[in-house]
Amino acid sequence: MDGLMSFQAQSVRAVSREQSSVPLPIFSPKITRVSVRPIGMVRKSKLFNSFVASVQPVEASAVTPFDNTLPSKEVLAVWQNVNAVCFDVDSTVCIDEGIDEFAEFCGAGKAVAEWTARAMNGSVSFEDALAARLSLINPSLSQLQDFLKRPPRLSPGIDLLVKKLKDKKKDVYLVSGGFRQMINPVASILGITLENIFANQMLFGSNGEFAGFDKNEPTSRSGGKPTAVQQIKKAHGYKSVVMIGDGATDLEARMPGGADLFICYGGVQLRESVAAKADWLVFNFKDLINSLE
């Protein structure tokens, strides 16, 4: 997957739900072709190099209107004054679904991808999907170690967005249904401390055999992301938290005591049922960066 990767999706006509009296940044909800090229890491490391996707518009086959591609005045105010931002990782911070890539590496790609799609669309409980996918992969520790030699592939602009948020003194977290072993390198590249990762953990026996996953992690079950965001908000006394992601489990985090805002990122996967319910739908992280200026 080191060459050109393209995907088809539906284009979007931007329609504002509410015209704001304050100047708004220019937004660009275009469906894109993604090509991947190596770049240097934000932090030097002997183990990892990152990949960042470069974006070029492609023509979409149909038009599907969403009314949330421009933020309302209230949504923009929450975003600009947020205390902490929680990012999903797969298909948001990174252009891949980590468990699908790992499954492909281990020879179980197609069957696992089907379970991932069902989980992200909310048609099956997350814990059932997680257990089923890991059972299909049945990885060994050595397979995981070999897989982790491949560099993470970051979504275009995510490094700049994280830097902008940190410059604005806003805390950044990674909240994922994926695995810490795969997410730790991503956090290192983006300068996010390991303490700010909420994710699952694969377990292995003394001989490197697969031994399941840590069921004590809140993200290992349905409702896990809302629980994680609630814990983050309560522990640090944040007045406002924003969740950014692409899937149904990210949308769930928008609840009382949890995320105050859900921003759907459709730059990799556009899940219409999720996008339609988002407070703000974006296709390019530049839109979020510009709105913080």
Side-chain angles (χ1 to χ4, degrees):
M1 298 182 68
D2 292 337
L4 180 68
M5 185 186 78
S6 63
F7 58 90
Q8 294 293 326
Q10 294 179 316
S11 67
V12 176
R13 180 184 301 145
V15 181
S16 176
R17 287 178 295 179
E18 177 181 347
Q19 295 297 326
S20 172
S21 60
V22 298
L24 292 177
I26 297 174
F27 301 95
S28 52
K30 294 182 179 179
I31 305 305
T32 60
R33 172 177 296 151
V34 179
S35 61
V36 179
R37 57 183 173 82
I39 65 167
M41 286 178 51
V42 174
R43 290 186 174 184
K44 293 183 179 180
S45 170
K46 296 180 180 179
L47 295 178
F48 300 101
N49 290 314
S50 66
F51 281 71
V52 172
S54 61
V55 180
Q56 296 177 342
V58 296
E59 185 176 353
S61 59
V63 175
T64 301
F66 287 91
D67 66 355
N68 55 354
T69 54
L70 291 178
S72 68
K73 181 170 61 177
E74 292 77 15
V75 166
L76 191 61
V78 172
W79 170 243
Q80 291 175 334
N81 294 285
V82 69
N83 299 125
V85 179
C86 298
F87 287 93
D88 174 43
V89 176
D90 296 330
S91 295
T92 300
V93 170
C94 295
I95 65 174
D96 300 313
E97 288 287 336
I99 193 169
D100 290 354
E101 293 298 305
F102 186 40
E104 186 71 29
F105 182 82
C106 295
K110 183 178 179 181
V112 168
E114 291 173 354
W115 275 98
T116 297
R118 293 172 65 187
M120 291 301 98
N121 289 324
S123 60
V124 64
S125 71
F126 185 82
E127 56 264 44
D128 288 345
L130 182 62
R133 288 179 290 177
L134 287 174
S135 177
L136 288 167
I137 300 171
N138 192 28
S140 65
L141 179 58
S142 62
Q143 283 178 308
L144 177 60
Q145 291 171 335
D146 287 342
F147 176 76
L148 291 176
K149 294 176 183 177
R150 308 183 343 167
R153 306 200 307 165
L154 303 182
S155 292
I158 186 61
D159 52 341
L160 299 177
L161 176 55
V162 169
K163 182 179 185 301
K164 173 65 74 172
L165 289 168
K166 293 171 72 174
D167 288 346
K168 294 285 186 178
K169 308 301 181 184
K170 302 178 189 302
D171 294 336
V172 178
Y173 295 82
L174 300 179
V175 180
S176 174
F179 296 96
R180 292 180 182 273
Q181 290 97 330
M182 302 176 191
I183 295 172
N184 287 352
V186 176
S188 178
I189 292 167
L190 295 175
I192 299 171
T193 63
L194 299 185
E195 291 76 15
N196 284 14
I197 298 174
F198 286 73
N200 294 311
Q201 181 85 7
M202 277 186 275
L203 304 176
F204 297 91
S206 57
N207 294 320
E209 73 278 11
F210 180 63
F213 59 94
D214 186 352
K215 295 182 179 180
N216 293 319
E217 294 282 3
T219 52
S220 69
R221 51 190 178 271
S222 294
K225 285 187 179 179
T227 299
V229 174
Q230 286 175 328
Q231 290 177 356
I232 291 168
K233 193 172 187 179
K234 183 177 181 180
H236 298 275
Y238 295 132
K239 292 183 178 180
S240 59
V241 175
V242 169
M243 181 75 204
I244 300 177
D246 69 292
T249 57
D250 306 309
L251 175 62
E252 289 177 354
R254 170 74 151 96
M255 63 179 298
D260 301 276
L261 204 68
F262 170 59
I263 298 175
C264 179
Y265 176 65
V268 177
Q269 294 283 347
L270 178 60
R271 309 181 200 279
E272 292 192 9
S273 61
V274 176
K277 297 176 183 177
D279 296 294
W280 188 1
L281 170 62
V282 300
F283 291 84
N284 194 322
F285 286 130
K286 287 182 180 179
D287 297 342
L288 300 180
I289 295 170
N290 292 341
S291 66
L292 291 171
E293 297 293 347

